[in-house]
Amino acid sequence: MDKVRIGLVGYGIGGRAFHRPFLLDAAGVDLVGVVARSPAKHEQLATDLPGVTVHDSLGDLIAAGVDAVVVTTPPSTRRELVLQAIAAGVAVVADKPFAPDPATARAIRQAAADADVVVTPFHNRRWDTDLVTLRSVLDAGRVGTPLRFWSRFDLVERHGIATGIGGGVLSDIGSHLVDQAVSLFGPIDRVSCTLDVRDARSLGLDQDGPIDAGFTLAATHVSGVESVLTSNKAGWLGARQLRLDGVDGTYEATSTDVQAQAAVAGASPADDRSTWGVEPSSGTLTTESGTVDVPSAQSSYTDYYERFARAVRGLGPVPVPVDDAVHVVEVLDAARRSAASGETVTVPAP
């Protein structure tokens, strides 16, 4: 397969830590350009990606020749950039949140369908090592029919709460936790949600007014599985925990978010693929027979981009279907309405 020429639009912490190392590591991918405007970003790119052309605009990048773009800019600018790429016939990875509201998500999906262009959300956390390990336990039938799922992801990261359109922790971490639950147990039928709403200035953010610093979302899947998803960035203790109850057993794990921690620290899977993406501790599976350790699987976000490259060449499905992206946005919208009303809200059918 000819390598897919990909351009990266935006070079903040997401572009640098969560896209660059995995684009460089992915077979079938050639990172050929980056869109960045500030002089500081140009200097950083000269060090990080020597020889890769830096462009001032998406239009310039497309004119230089690309098969696909990864749009990592804030949600307030992302819609127009994604639609611009689609109109040019260029495949798109849209960072999360895929869209700030359901209407925008549906408009992007329709534009992609009309233009017959590949579009997929950057829900890379389907490839989180702890989730891949849990999925292997589930797929092997080791807990039997799944009943209840808990997912907690707390970060000591007040400064990392995104502001503006599409900001807040529900849109940020919530996009991933909802998508993970959907990938495991299928679409969500109804939700009940509470938000930890804080004054943005009190969190040290450059914004006036309230912002959600965390959430607890209870979801009922069409399959009957109940999921409880929770995250907070305003506390003082980080935690990543998963638990799955089934009729035959319970799987439980505490993890370190090993890939993200390594990527933010500047590491890359290309440094040592044999050790990349393995959690240092094991999960446990408890059944009628007792408790056994479940060693960590190995995973890499690189797999996301290798799947994307094959999809662009028509050799396989996208890593995450755009219908799932729209559904996640619908779930998050229902969660906000639930938090405002104090009632359980039905999610539109996918």
Side-chain angles (χ1 to χ4, degrees), residues 186-256:
I188 290 169
D189 178 61
R190 56 189 185 274
V191 298
S192 178
C193 182
T194 58
L195 297 176
D196 177 8
V197 177
R198 308 284 188 98
D199 177 77
R201 295 286 180 184
S202 73
L203 297 173
L205 301 174
D206 187 21
Q207 173 180 306
D208 292 319
I211 194 166
D212 64 277
F215 64 89
T216 298
L217 188 159
T220 301
H221 296 259
V222 174
S223 64
V225 175
E226 300 285 344
S227 290
V228 177
L229 316 172
T230 183
S231 178
N232 202 296
K233 285 191 173 185
W236 302 107
L237 182 65
R240 180 68 177 123
Q241 298 168 327
L242 296 173
R243 173 171 169 159
L244 175 61
D245 278 349
V247 295
D248 296 328
T250 294
Y251 173 79
E252 193 168 25
T254 297
S255 61
T256 65

Side-chain angles (χ1 to χ4, degrees), residues 271-342:
D271 298 336
D272 186 352
R273 293 185 182 87
S274 67
T275 61
W276 180 268
V278 178
E279 285 288 344
S281 60
S282 299
T284 60
L285 175 66
T286 302
T287 65
E288 187 178 12
S289 302
T291 299
V292 297
D293 289 340
V294 179
S296 170
Q298 184 175 23
S299 186
S300 176
Y301 300 147
T302 298
D303 190 33
Y304 175 96
Y305 274 117
E306 291 183 344
R307 291 173 184 243
F308 176 67
R310 291 194 293 271
V312 171
R313 293 296 184 228
L315 300 176
V318 291
V320 181
V322 71
D323 286 347
D324 285 3
V326 175
H327 181 58
V328 168
V329 175
E330 294 274 18
V331 171
L332 297 180
D333 179 70
R336 292 187 189 93
R337 289 186 279 124
S338 171
S341 68

